[in-house]
Amino acid sequence: DAGVTQSPTHLIKTRGQQVTLRCSPKSGHDTVSWYQQALGQGPQFIFQYYEEEERQRGNFPDRFSGHQFPNYSSELNVNALLLGDSALYLCASRSQGHYGYTFGSGTRLTVV
Amino acid sequence: AQSVAQPEDQVNVAEGNPLTVKCTYSVSGNPYLFWYVQYPNRGLQFLLKYITGDNLVKGSYGFEAEFNKSQTSFHLKKPSALVSDSALYFCAVRDESSASKIIFGSGTRLSIRP
């Protein structure tokens, strides 16, 4: 049973560019959340997707957007990248009505 | 607003000794609490959770946590530490307004010396 799969594992982008990160949830899970973990800090909630809609959003600017597909997989898009966007981006999935959150290994984004 | 606090940036323990990683929480209702571990360049691995029931929760890799409502604490414990337990540990609480939003502490680096 595969867990949460994220791609790519590492990414280097230039300031001002746009990036797309991908996440496949654990089998049986239908809800996907995204987190940003800056170096030396705990993860911060970006947003959550369920039934292909953004349901809840953390304190992140509109440059951060996402999408969920019918197969429950999800994308995180970040526009106009800033140096401060450099972080580990984590995807977490769960099944509605349950509290078992499963995290992926993350995508390490470096903005230069 | 809900929050968790991990008062220790680093905890150092000799192998074979018991370990405790501290966490306190602040919520207005009943807390849903979690512990996660993170190894270098890896994602978060679930250790255990408290939702309701027994105050002593047993989890993965021999870890357990004690929920104390009067002290609003949820300390992580292990009777005998292993060098392989060295990692970054996060305490977390579920946001009361969203079941998918987890609020993490700042993390505690656990270092086990041989």
Side-chain angles (χ1 to χ4, degrees), chain A residues 23-25 29-34 47-55 65-77 91-94 96:
Chain A
C23 172
S24 293
H29 287 185
D30 55 9
T31 303
V32 173
S33 301
W34 287 90
F47 44 51
Q48 170 215 341
Y49 277 83
Y50 172 63
E51 292 184 330
E52 302 179 47
E53 291 188 13
E54 183 182 299
R55 300 290 179 168
S65 63
H67 190 77
Q68 185 179 35
F69 299 94
N71 67 353
Y72 308 121
S73 66
S74 178
E75 290 181 347
L76 165 65
N77 301 292
C91 173
S93 72
R94 73 179 184 99
Q96 278 290 320

Side-chain angles (χ1 to χ4, degrees), chain A residues 9 16 18 46-47 51 66 69 80 85 87 101 105:
Chain A
T9 55
Q18 178 265 344
I46 302 175
F47 44 51
E51 292 184 330
F69 299 94
D85 295 331
Y101 305 89
S105 295

Side-chain angles (χ1 to χ4, degrees), chain A:
Chain A
D1 180 22
V4 177
T5 304
Q6 292 188 243
S7 64
T9 55
H10 295 84
L11 201 53
I12 300 175
K13 288 288 188 178
T14 303
R15 191 172 45 184
Q17 287 188 317
Q18 178 265 344
V19 68
T20 297
L21 310 182
R22 295 177 175 81
C23 172
S24 293
K26 182 177 179 178
S27 178
H29 287 185
D30 55 9
T31 303
V32 173
S33 301
W34 287 90
Y35 290 79
Q36 180 195 64
Q37 185 180 14
L39 197 63
Q41 298 181 23
Q44 300 289 320
F45 176 78
I46 302 175
F47 44 51
Q48 170 215 341
Y49 277 83
Y50 172 63
E51 292 184 330
E52 302 179 47
E53 291 188 13
E54 183 182 299
R55 300 290 179 168
Q56 184 113 8
R57 189 177 185 91
N59 189 25
F60 280 80
D62 292 344
R63 297 187 297 109
F64 290 77
S65 63
H67 190 77
Q68 185 179 35
F69 299 94
N71 67 353
Y72 308 121
S73 66
S74 178
E75 290 181 347
L76 165 65
N77 301 292
V78 186
N79 294 321
L81 285 167
L82 303 174
L83 296 180
D85 295 331
S86 296
L88 180 68
Y89 288 84
L90 296 165
C91 173
S93 72
R94 73 179 184 99
S95 179
Q96 278 290 320
H98 294 82
Y99 300 105
Y101 305 89
T102 302
F103 281 81
S105 295
T107 294
R108 172 73 62 186
L109 172 65
T110 302
V111 182
V112 298

